[in-house]
Amino acid sequence: MEKDITDRKLILFFSILLVLFLIGVFLFIKMNKPYNEFIDMNWSIKLPRAYKEIYSADSGLGSIEDSERYHIFEYKKEDTEFFSQWESGKNTEIELAVEKILADLNIESEYMPDFELKYKYCSKKGQDFSKIYLIFFPDINRLYVIENFLLELK
């Protein structure tokens, strides 16, 4: 009888340990995914994989407020062909929207996009009015990714 109780406790202990281990592995894999995979999941935009992340900022999730994310990726020259089909030229509407989001995130000036440089861009709206702005500066091979997730209509 005592042996049955001990066996059950051991089985329960190892079952809980296995579940915790599997949860840990899942979280580790999820947290170590490159950010371009999240962009693909959220926006159906497949960015080139070979990049170095220079900077990242996130406003976190609020229950009433918008959530903003900001990333700067640097690409090697040979990996930038993808961006050649994007729109060229200045777009003051995008510049103003991006500057507002980055001001909300309190981004330091050294990490702000320099709109005096030549750039290519694309943007996409989500079904919930969320928006992503992708701005590529070919002279410095940097991609600025600005996301504004609208959690509630204002």
Side-chain angles (χ1 to χ4, degrees):
M1 179 101 165
E2 248 180 68
K3 189 174 187 298
D4 281 347
I5 294 173
T6 304
D7 288 346
R8 286 184 189 170
K9 285 182 180 180
L10 278 175
I11 290 171
L12 179 63
F13 172 75
F14 284 112
S15 296
I16 292 171
L17 198 60
L18 178 63
V19 168
L20 290 175
F21 175 76
L22 293 174
I23 290 171
V25 167
F26 171 77
L27 291 174
F28 177 79
I29 290 170
K30 185 174 182 180
M31 292 174 72
N32 287 305
K33 269 187 171 184
Y35 197 74
N36 68 322
E37 290 185 26
F38 290 103
I39 292 171
D40 185 22
M41 280 185 341
N42 290 332
W43 302 100
S44 300
I45 299 172
K46 291 186 185 299
L47 295 175
R49 299 186 86 171
Y51 64 84
K52 176 182 174 187
E53 187 167 356
I54 302 297
Y55 183 79
S56 176
D58 188 334
S59 66
L61 291 176
S63 58
I64 299 173
E65 298 179 17
D66 295 349
S67 172
E68 292 110 358
R69 294 182 194 158
Y70 180 53
H71 296 270
I72 304 172
F73 301 146
E74 188 171 74
Y75 286 89
K76 293 181 181 172
K77 186 71 172 167
E78 60 269 15
D79 298 322
T80 61
E81 181 63 31
F82 173 84
F83 307 108
S84 65
Q85 303 302 314
W86 288 7
E87 297 289 326
S88 295
K90 295 191 78 53
N91 184 318
T92 52
E93 183 181 324
I94 285 180
E95 290 179 19
L96 291 171
V98 165
E99 287 171 351
K100 182 193 178 315
I101 293 168
L102 298 183
D104 290 346
L105 285 170
N106 297 313
I107 302 300
E108 300 164 28
S109 61
E110 66 187 278
Y111 296 110
M112 297 286 282
D114 182 358
F115 290 115
E116 297 300 314
L117 298 174
K118 180 176 73 171
Y119 63 88
K120 293 181 166 288
Y121 62 92
C122 79
S123 63
K124 187 174 185 179
K125 280 187 180 176
Q127 293 178 339
D128 60 355
F129 303 105
S130 295
K131 196 151 190 181
I132 184 170
Y133 302 95
L134 300 134
I135 304 168
F136 180 70
F137 292 85
D139 293 339
I140 57 174
N141 297 322
R142 286 196 176 174
L143 174 66
Y144 292 74
V145 179
I146 304 94
E147 297 170 280
N148 186 15
F149 293 97
L150 189 62
L151 301 176
E152 180 178 291
L153 289 177
K154 293 184 177 180

